[in-house]
Amino acid sequence: MKQQILGKPVEQWVSELPLLQDIMDCREVTWFNANHVSFREAAPDVGLTTANIDDAAARLKRFAPLIAELFPETKSTAGIIESPLVAVPDQQETLGKRYGQRLPGQLWAKLDSELPINGSIKARGGIYEVLKHAEDLAIGAGLLSQTDDYRKLASEKLRKFFSGYKIAVGSTGNLGLSIGIMSAALGFDASVHMSADARQWKKDKLRACGVHVHEYQDDYSVAVAAGREESANDPKAYFVDDENSPTLFLGYAVAARRLADQLQAYDVKVDESNPLFVYLPCGVGGSPGGVAFGLKSVFGDNVRCIFVEPTHCPSMLLGVYTGLNDRVSVQDFGIDNVTAADGLACGRPSQFVGKAMRRVIDGFCTIDDDELFRIEANLHDSAGIDIEPSSAAGFACPWHVLASAQYRDGTGFDDTTMSHSTHLAWVTGGSMVPRDEMAAYIARGERLLR
């Protein structure tokens, strides 16, 4: 731990921000954002608009025929990469008994764990950024127009063209999968720089697709720095910057439009009397930030977005709570960044998301690793849904919201309103985890429950 952070002793930080001691001790905490304002007031902070989301959605539609051709598992949805929305009443009942309080309203799960191609939320932003870069290059070279059938990008001529360009990214695992798989499918020379947290099966899958995998015995920040350095001096190299990319952010934001259609199909109302609470696992912040921005652009202040982080890596919470954003890492405050939630093990938050979303995010919860495994086992037993430990983070948070009378009073959510609320845990990955590894996760959770 640094003795001083930005010229101020750690003891002074703790004195001024009392929750810091619990955060530094890796205890579970809940903090409702004192900076939060209405979306109308906060929207200019983001620097993006609904028109930007419209553009991203249109681009994904143009690419859909190509995606269906390259990835047969998407043919049934005509190349649209989307995940199921399911109610999980048995999980709601199970957790209510464990936490000693019935959750009013209804608990749902958005299963980005079932997204095709790479089985995680990163299929949204990562794939979108690769597609946008490919479109920019091909149009710039006179090889494509937006009125073309985009399946021509799978031709040998275009594959040969893309092979002269490089794409690189730093990742704890799932973003690397989405970038690497899509880049290789189009013919790019792809490199993924992976931190010590990354699972071996993810490295193996990338190599099987022809992607160069570079391994580091350090955390996410080191992998990102290496990927950025590799691309810096090569005019034909493109670095996907998870820490600062508006393009990734917009790819995630499109999810909100799709979710709105799903909620309407299930006749789930979202309005002032029927609030929607969405619980988003958070690593560096790009995917939850983008989804939250999209949700706010659709539902305004009728949706409440809570970011969820592991107790051993609460980087976005630290950045927003202290006001330091990306100028601080969890290690600066003596937190080890060692967590089973590998997809969330990003010690320093995104500069772009922290500043853009600091007044949009409603609050933060941190969850202990053991509780992630318990929740994972509960979900397996109650709903037959298998997920990564990272993905379990959102399921505990509705009870944290319920426990805060101060937050509910401040938002005007009385008992009647809460009984009409919808709680949605965003499940960020898991379907591609090898069966033996998934079985070990579940067994660990069952042992902890006993």
Side-chain angles (χ1 to χ4, degrees):
M1 175 175 28
K2 291 184 178 180
Q3 297 303 307
Q4 290 200 338
I5 299 171
L6 296 183
K8 187 189 298 185
V10 170
E11 294 78 9
Q12 186 177 343
W13 282 104
V14 172
S15 174
E16 295 172 359
L17 300 168
L19 192 64
L20 271 177
Q21 190 60 62
D22 283 342
I23 295 172
M24 292 165 59
D25 291 340
C26 297
R27 298 192 183 103
E28 290 190 346
V29 302
T30 303
W31 178 67
F32 293 104
N33 187 4
N35 303 309
H36 180 268
V37 295
S38 72
F39 184 60
R40 181 186 296 274
E41 186 177 348
D45 296 351
V46 183
L48 298 167
T49 67
T50 54
N52 297 119
I53 304 176
D54 293 340
D55 179 60
R59 182 168 291 104
L60 287 169
K61 188 173 182 179
R62 290 196 295 273
F63 270 100
L66 173 68
I67 293 170
E69 182 167 315
L70 292 176
F71 301 97
E73 62 268 37
T74 67
K75 284 186 177 180
S76 63
T77 57
I80 297 298
I81 301 170
E82 198 42 69
S83 68
L85 173 68
V86 297
V88 284
D90 291 339
Q91 175 78 337
Q92 182 173 350
E93 182 179 356
T94 298
L95 292 178
K97 289 177 180 177
R98 277 197 51 225
Y99 298 143
Q101 188 171 16
R102 185 185 70 83
L103 179 70
Q106 193 169 34
L107 181 63
W108 294 74
K110 178 62 172 159
L111 298 181
D112 273 10
S113 52
E114 303 296 325
L115 281 171
I117 304 177
N118 85 319
S120 85
I121 192 173
K122 301 300 184 179
R124 299 185 183 279
I127 287 173
Y128 174 71
E129 179 141 357
V130 172
L131 296 178
K132 184 179 186 305
H133 181 56
E135 182 185 61
D136 290 344
L137 288 175
I139 290 176
L143 299 173
L144 180 72
S145 73
Q146 289 188 3
T147 57
D148 285 343
D149 181 339
Y150 273 37
R151 285 176 290 189
K152 73 184 294 184
L153 294 173
S155 68
E156 281 304 310
K157 179 179 179 179
L158 268 297
R159 285 185 60 82
K160 184 176 180 181
F161 170 71
F162 290 135
S163 71
Y165 292 87
K166 298 178 180 179
I167 293 181
V169 66
S171 174
T172 61
N174 285 340
L175 181 64
L177 277 179
S178 67
I179 298 293
I181 291 171
M182 181 53 76
S183 296
L186 291 174
F188 285 103
D189 180 3
S191 295
V192 178
H193 298 259
M194 304 191 89
S195 63
D197 316 276
R199 296 291 187 257
Q200 187 61 45
W201 69 266
K202 296 179 183 181
K203 301 171 189 175
D204 294 342
K205 185 172 181 64
L206 282 168
R207 289 186 172 116
C209 293
V211 177
H212 307 294
V213 177
H214 306 275
E215 300 183 51
Y216 301 87
Q217 295 308 308
D218 294 289
D219 71 3
Y220 169 80
S221 297
V222 172
V224 170
R228 189 180 284 118
E229 184 178 358
E230 178 193 35
S231 306
N233 299 314
D234 187 343
K236 289 197 167 185
Y238 181 83
F239 179 65
V240 179
D241 190 346
D242 192 20
E243 295 180 331
N244 299 295
S245 173
T247 305
L248 282 175
F249 188 85
L250 288 169
Y252 299 123
V254 174
R257 308 278 182 88
R258 311 257 182 88
L259 175 65
D261 290 341
Q262 290 175 316
L263 290 170
Q264 186 175 27
Y266 286 117
D267 199 25
V268 176
K269 293 181 180 179
V270 180
D271 56 30
E272 189 174 354
S273 301
N274 300 271
L276 171 64
F277 295 87
V278 181
Y279 307 95
L280 294 153
C282 179
V284 74
S287 50
V291 171
F293 174 62
L295 290 169
K296 288 288 188 178
S297 74
V298 174
F299 299 112
D301 296 329
N302 297 321
V303 63
R304 302 289 171 159
C305 300
I306 313 291
F307 284 16
V308 196
E309 298 180 287
T311 55
H312 284 257
C313 190
S315 59
M316 185 62 72
L317 168 58
L318 270 178
V320 175
Y321 182 54
T322 62
L324 297 176
N325 295 315
D326 65 310
R327 291 180 294 163
V328 68
S329 72
V330 297
Q331 291 94 336
D332 291 340
F333 281 95
I335 303 170
D336 59 17
N337 192 22
V338 177
T339 173
D342 59 302
L344 311 182
C346 304
R348 188 180 300 275
S350 163
Q351 177 186 44
F352 168 65
V353 174
K355 292 179 178 177
M357 301 294 290
R358 69 181 185 86
R359 298 198 296 167
V360 176
I361 305 164
D362 271 74
F364 294 83
C365 293
T366 65
I367 305 297
D368 180 76
D369 274 17
D370 283 351
E371 186 62 6
L372 297 179
F373 285 104
R374 293 186 193 99
I375 292 169
E376 184 170 6
N378 283 147
L379 190 65
H380 171 81
D381 293 337
S382 68
I385 297 171
D386 293 340
I387 60 177
E388 289 182 312
S390 302
S391 292
F395 284 100
C397 291
W399 282 266
H400 291 254
V401 169
L402 197 62
S404 178
Q406 182 179 3
Y407 173 67
R408 288 187 290 109
D409 289 346
T411 53
F413 295 146
D414 58 18
D415 290 345
T416 300
T417 303
M418 291 302 290
S419 70
H420 296 155
S421 61
T422 299
H423 299 268
L424 193 155
W426 209 285
V427 179
T428 50
S431 64
M432 292 192 177
V433 175
R435 291 300 92 189
D436 58 343
E437 193 162 330
M438 183 64 73
Y441 292 158
I442 294 164
R444 177 174 171 180
E446 290 174 341
R447 287 195 300 273
L448 288 164
L449 284 169
R450 290 195 295 270

